[in-house]
Amino acid sequence: MATKKAISAGTGRRKTASARVNLFEGKGNWTVNGVELEKYLPSEALRDYLKQPVAISGYDMEKVDVVIYAKGGGISGQAGAIRHGLARAIVAADETTRAALKKAGCMTRDSRMKERKKPGQPGARKRFQFSKR
């Protein structure tokens, strides 16, 4: 079995999800954790969201296979992580696309996470009712 030639790779993160995106020479196939992209993400809105870096940069994805390993978080967080990793992989392959992707916000990690629960309280911000006496 002949191995595919790797073009570039990028790591993306969003909330508690992380994704490794690898670009190989190929025919335009997208796989996430060994499953086709359409089966892994049934929502067309999320698929369009994670493909934004491709549309913005104009990178030719017909000659490239995209292999993605995503873990952690939920579907929406993984889609954001894939988008971030894809933007980084495209920039690693073609440095001239960096300015457009940065301006569109694809190169920025969305660091919003769930706030941790505080000890002795019912939640992150919620407090037990105060009793003066």
Side-chain angles (χ1 to χ4, degrees), residues 25-112:
E25 290 181 350
K27 299 177 182 169
N29 298 325
W30 290 66
T31 58
V32 182
N33 296 341
V35 181
E36 291 180 19
L37 180 65
E38 288 74 22
K39 290 183 182 176
Y40 192 82
L41 290 174
S43 169
E44 189 174 339
L46 286 178
R47 286 196 305 266
D48 290 344
Y49 176 69
L50 70 86
K51 289 183 180 180
Q52 272 184 353
V54 176
I56 292 166
S57 66
Y59 193 77
D60 186 18
M61 299 303 279
E62 297 299 319
K63 299 175 183 173
V64 175
D65 283 346
V66 182
V67 179
I68 303 163
Y69 301 100
K71 64 179 181 179
I75 295 295
S76 178
Q78 286 186 1
I82 292 169
R83 175 180 180 251
H84 186 220
L86 183 61
R88 284 180 162 186
I90 290 173
V91 167
D94 184 11
E95 189 66 36
T96 60
T97 61
R98 182 177 179 82
L101 289 171
K102 193 167 178 70
K103 186 177 180 188
C106 295
M107 296 296 291
T108 305
R109 183 207 192 283
D110 189 352
S111 61
R112 294 176 293 172

